[in-house]
Amino acid sequence: MSGLVVASNRGPYTLAEGADGQVVVRPAGGGLAPSLASALSAGEKEALWVASAMSPIERRAAGEGRVETGEGKLGLHLVSIEEEAYRASYDVVANATLWFCFHGLFDAARRPLFDRRWWEAWEHFRRYNAAFTDEIAEAADDGAVVLVNDYHLPLVGRMLAEKRPDLRTVHFTHTPFAEPVELSVLPGAVRRELIEGMAGFGACGFHTRRWEEAFSRSSVATAGRVGPTFSCGLGADTERLAEVASSPECARAAAALDELVGDRTLIMRSDRVELSKNLLRGFHAFSALLEERPELRGRVCFLARAYASREGLAEYLAYRAEAEHLVAVLNERWAPLCGGEEPIIFQVDDDFPATVAAFRRYDVLLVNPVRDGMNLVAKEGPALNERHGLLVLSEGAGAHEEMAGAAISIQPFDVAETAAGLAAALDMEEGERRERSAGLAELAAACPPAEWLESLLAQARRPKG
Ligand code: G6P
C-alpha cells in the first residue's frame, strides 16, 4: 500500500530482458516522468507509479504486482490491457481525438469522424480508465494522495471518487485544453463524460492560466459548473541536464556537430515528429529568411532534430514524409546558392545527448508550435546554452506566458513573421543578446520538477470543498 500514487499512461521506466533472461528495469528516455521519478524516489514516503504495460515483457510483469525499480522509495505497477483494446484507446481516442481536439489540429473537412469503430474505441477507453482506477484503488492507503496525468486518464476522477472517496486526487493536464467551441466537435455524451470525469478529481491543474481558463469555460459550458482548478508551470530539470551535458556521449556528439556546422551560424529546433510542433512552417520560415537575406546564404544553417513518435497513426507517418520531402526540396533549391552545402540538416533520431550538445551550441533556437501545454525545449535550450543564444518562441506555447519578456515572439501560422523573428535574432547587437539570453536562462530554471511536484502535493492536501 502506498501513501502517494502517481498514474500516467507512459511510465518513467521500461522493462527489458537482460542477457541472463532476467527482467531489467531501465529509466525511460526523456520528458518529465524520469525527473519526477527521481524526486519521488528521494522522498520520505513509499510511492507507487501506475503506468500501462506497453510490450509483451511488460504485460507479463503486470500480472506479478509491484515491480521494484531499485530506486529508493518508488515502486512501479503496470496495468495490462489486451493489445487491440490498448491501441484503440491510445491511438483512436487519446491521440487521434483528444490530442487533436486540445491542440486545435482537426482538419474539419475530414476529421473528426465518429463512426462505429470510434464508439468501440470509446468503450475500450472507458475500460482502460476503469483498469487504472482499480489498480489505484487497490494500491492506495487510506486517505492517500493520487496524482493522475493527462488526457489518457480523464475518466479516473469520477470512477475513483465513487470507489474510494477517502483519496485526495489531483489531475494534471500537460497539454493545452480546448475552448468550448473546440470541445463542441466531440459528441455531447463524450464531452459530458470527459468533463464530469475530470470534475471527480479534487483539483485539476494546467501549466498555464490560458489552459486552466479554457478548461473552466469548457466545464461551465458542458456541465454548468467547474470544480477547483490551478495552474503551475514546470521548469527545466537543470541538474539532470547538467549530468547529460557532462557525459562522454554528449562530448562526442558536440565534436560531430562542430564538424557538421563548421563556421556557420546555427539555428536549431528540437521536437517530436508531431503535427502540433509546426515543423513545416519552420522550414518555410527558414527558406523565407534565405530568400530575403541573400548575404546569409552559406553563412547560416538550420538543424532540425526530431524523434519519431506515434507511428501507429497514419497522420504522423504522412507528416514525417511531408517534412522529409519539404527539406529535400528546399535543400535542392538552396544548396547551390549556399556554396554547395545543404543549409537544412534534418536529423530524425532519439539521441538526447546529441540534442543537449546542440542546445549548448545554438545561436538561435526556434520553438514554433501551433499550440503546446508548456514546451520544455523552450526552457531546456536556454538553461544549457553557452553562446548567448536567443529564443524565437510561438505565442501558442505555454512557455510563452512566462518567457515572452526575454524571447522573440511569433504567431505560429505567420511564416513571414517567423522569418522576421529569426532575422531579428541574428541581427541583435551583443549587449541585448547577452541580456536576453541571461533572462531566458533564469526564467527557464524557475520551478524545477521537485518544486513543481511539491505544488501539486499542496493542492492535493488542501481541504476538500
Ligand atoms: C507529450 C505531452 C504529454 C503527453 C506525451 C505522450 O510529451 O506533452 O502531455 O503525455 O506527449 O506522449 P506519448 O509518446 O506517450 O504518446
Side-chain angles (χ1 to χ4, degrees):
M1 301 294 275
S2 297
L4 174 57
V5 182
V6 178
S8 64
N9 174 55
R10 194 179 290 279
Y13 302 96
T14 53
L15 269 51
E17 199 164 296
D20 54 0
Q22 291 285 83
V23 174
V24 280
V25 182
R26 298 206 183 97
L32 167 66
S35 303
L36 269 192
S38 63
L40 288 169
S41 59
E44 284 160 21
K45 278 201 202 148
E46 283 293 324
L48 183 72
W49 198 304
V50 181
S52 290
M54 292 187 178
S55 63
I57 188 167
E58 292 189 351
R59 280 192 199 97
R60 276 202 302 281
E64 290 157 22
R66 183 181 167 112
V67 179
E68 287 311 322
T69 62
E71 289 195 51
K73 303 255 187 228
L74 182 63
L76 177 69
H77 199 117
L78 295 169
V79 180
S80 180
I81 318 274
E82 191 251 317
E83 184 158 6
E84 207 181 312
Y86 177 73
R87 293 246 66 96
S89 181
Y90 175 74
D91 286 340
V92 179
V93 178
N95 288 340
T97 306
L98 298 179
W99 177 275
F100 273 58
C101 181
F102 294 175
H103 288 83
L105 289 175
F106 284 131
D107 168 7
R110 301 179 186 84
R111 298 244 187 285
L113 190 155
F114 301 99
D115 54 5
R116 198 158 60 86
R117 174 176 164 267
W118 192 90
W119 283 103
E120 280 166 14
W122 179 248
E123 269 305 313
H124 286 306
F125 187 73
R126 281 183 174 149
R127 286 200 280 270
Y128 159 88
N129 274 255
F132 266 75
T133 304
D134 290 345
E135 295 293 348
I136 298 168
E138 207 163 296
D141 271 339
D142 243 11
V145 168
V146 180
L147 306 179
V148 178
N149 292 276
D150 260 338
Y151 52 93
H152 312 91
L153 299 167
L155 311 183
V156 167
R158 181 157 189 195
M159 293 174 175
L160 205 52
E162 282 165 9
K163 268 194 140 161
R164 289 287 307 270
D166 59 299
L167 299 177
R168 302 183 161 272
T169 61
V170 168
H171 184 273
F172 199 91
T173 301
H174 297 271
T175 62
F177 202 85
E179 292 287 350
V181 64
E182 296 168 320
L183 202 69
S184 71
V185 304
L186 303 181
V190 171
R191 228 154 53 214
R192 281 190 294 279
E193 205 168 328
L194 178 79
I195 291 293
E196 279 163 14
M198 290 178 75
F201 290 104
C204 288
F206 299 84
H207 281 298
T208 68
R209 294 272 303 152
R210 178 175 171 193
W211 313 134
E212 181 190 358
E213 283 165 7
F215 172 74
S216 298
R217 282 191 283 268
S218 283
S219 294
V220 171
T222 307
R225 67 185 180 93
V226 60
T229 61
F230 64 97
S231 57
C232 179
L234 172 71
D237 187 347
T238 47
E239 274 173 39
R240 188 172 73 93
L241 292 173
E243 257 172 52
V244 180
S246 60
S247 67
E249 290 85 358
C250 190
R252 274 197 294 278
L257 186 63
D258 277 341
E259 185 104 338
L260 195 63
V261 173
D263 55 9
R264 291 179 290 179
T265 298
L266 177 62
I267 300 175
M268 81 162 286
R269 68 177 304 144
S270 165
D271 307 273
R272 283 189 299 119
V273 179
E274 158 60 55
L275 286 78
S276 64
K277 301 296 180 186
N278 208 13
L279 289 155
L280 304 178
R281 289 190 193 84
F283 293 132
H284 285 303
F286 179 70
S287 179
L289 176 74
L290 295 182
E291 180 96 55
E292 279 150 33
R293 298 284 297 268
E295 80 282 8
L296 293 176
R297 297 174 194 166
R299 293 180 44 209
V300 56
C301 64
F302 183 27
L303 170 67
R305 290 196 44 76
Y307 60 97
S309 165
R310 301 185 194 160
E311 295 205 320
L313 287 189
E315 284 92 339
Y316 282 69
L317 288 173
Y319 190 68
R320 176 175 175 170
E322 198 177 344
E324 283 169 343
H325 179 70
L326 178 60
V327 170
V329 168
L330 294 177
N331 272 337
E332 201 176 303
R333 173 178 176 201
W334 288 114
L337 302 166
C338 294
E341 269 187 305
E342 295 191 338
I344 305 178
I345 307 157
F346 188 27
Q347 297 176 334
V348 182
D349 60 25
D350 190 358
D351 181 348
F352 193 56
T355 301
V356 166
F359 281 158
R360 296 172 77 184
R361 195 190 191 285
Y362 69 74
D363 299 288
V364 180
L365 174 65
L366 175 64
V367 178
N368 68 327
V370 166
R371 219 182 264 183
D372 222 328
M374 170 51 78
N375 195 301
L376 274 181
V377 169
K379 296 188 169 179
E380 291 176 342
L384 282 165
N385 187 259
E386 291 167 0
R387 289 169 71 106
H388 310 300
L390 295 171
L391 173 65
V392 175
L393 180 60
S394 162
E395 290 163 359
H400 190 265
E401 217 168 278
E402 295 164 43
M403 306 188 74
I408 296 172
S409 300
I410 51 122
Q411 198 268 28
F413 302 97
D414 189 341
V415 167
E417 188 180 61
T418 307
L422 293 174
L426 295 174
D427 293 344
M428 194 170 286
E429 56 91 19
E430 189 63 16
E432 189 177 350
R433 243 187 122 80
R434 281 173 186 267
E435 203 174 298
R436 284 199 188 227
S437 67
L440 288 167
E442 197 181 317
L443 291 166
C447 202
E451 204 176 308
W452 179 86
L453 175 63
E454 276 310 313
S455 309
L456 262 64
L457 294 176
Q459 288 292 335
R461 289 191 202 108
R462 74 181 179 182
K464 289 193 180 186

